[in-house]
Amino acid sequence: MILQLFKKTKELDFERTYGAPIATVWDAWTKPEMLRQWWGPPKTLVPECRLELSVGGEIHIVTEAGEAMGKYQGTRWPMSGTFTAVEAPSRLTYDARSWTEGEEEGSMIHHTNDIALTESDGATTVKLHVTITQIGPKAKLAAFGMKWGYKAQLDKLEALLSA
């Protein structure tokens, strides 16, 4: 059944409204020191985070399993990509590939992330559209779990913006 889900392009959509101005939410998506605080699912950390915020610029984030992830501690999941749209403070799009370090060949997932921000009455709505275009043979379960992963990290963003 899982194999059938990924024979064609998979799309994920998320929408969240945060009680923060658009400039603050934009910074959370584009400033490495803020991005490190909320990127990735719970029990992970971000030891590497680089963004060159321009069309053609690089985005590179490494998520690492922390001690609380038990036997997975130390496992690293890099994501590298290229920005295709940067329209501060309302739109950010990048083409990326994600993988499990040491298993790049079989665990690669290719995806495009499009983030749109709008502000109303001091609150900012984030619409995130993810298009998964290619999934390595060892990455089907990881791709299936991406929906949960994005929801978890958007929850972490909410906690950061509410602090």
Side-chain angles (χ1 to χ4, degrees):
M1 168 128 174
I2 289 176
L3 295 175
Q4 291 174 333
L5 293 174
F6 295 108
K7 290 193 175 182
K8 59 184 178 182
T9 300
K10 179 168 179 56
E11 298 191 25
L12 303 171
D13 285 291
F14 306 91
E15 183 173 327
R16 294 283 181 95
T17 299
Y18 300 103
I22 196 168
T24 303
V25 178
W26 176 262
D27 286 350
W29 280 93
T30 61
K31 293 192 180 291
E33 64 275 10
M34 287 186 75
L35 198 58
R36 285 174 190 257
Q37 296 178 56
W38 66 271
W39 190 267
K43 304 177 186 175
T44 63
L45 52 107
V46 178
E48 296 177 37
C49 183
R50 295 189 308 274
L51 285 89
E52 182 187 329
L53 205 55
S54 61
V55 172
E58 173 195 37
I59 179 170
H60 179 79
I61 303 170
V62 177
T63 306
E64 184 176 311
E67 185 179 339
M69 289 191 81
K71 69 178 183 174
Y72 296 104
Q73 180 181 0
T75 302
R76 292 166 53 99
W77 299 282
M79 182 196 76
S80 285
T82 304
F83 287 107
T84 57
V86 177
E87 301 167 16
S90 60
R91 184 155 180 244
L92 196 61
T93 306
Y94 58 89
D95 292 329
R97 58 200 187 289
S98 302
W99 65 94
T100 301
E101 197 169 82
E103 300 176 25
E104 188 168 343
E105 182 85 20
S107 69
M108 188 71 66
I109 300 172
H110 292 260
H111 50 100
T112 298
N113 291 27
D114 183 50
I115 302 108
L117 286 69
T118 55
E119 185 176 16
S120 178
D121 297 324
T124 302
T125 298
V126 175
K127 291 183 180 180
L128 169 61
H129 180 77
V130 181
T131 305
I132 302 169
T133 56
Q134 188 177 348
I135 301 165
K138 294 180 181 176
K140 290 184 179 22
L141 193 57
F144 187 72
M146 284 177 83
K147 185 172 186 174
W148 172 85
Y150 277 106
K151 283 182 177 182
Q153 82 181 27
L154 291 171
D155 288 346
K156 287 174 63 179
L157 175 57
E158 185 168 0
L160 175 67
L161 294 171
S162 298

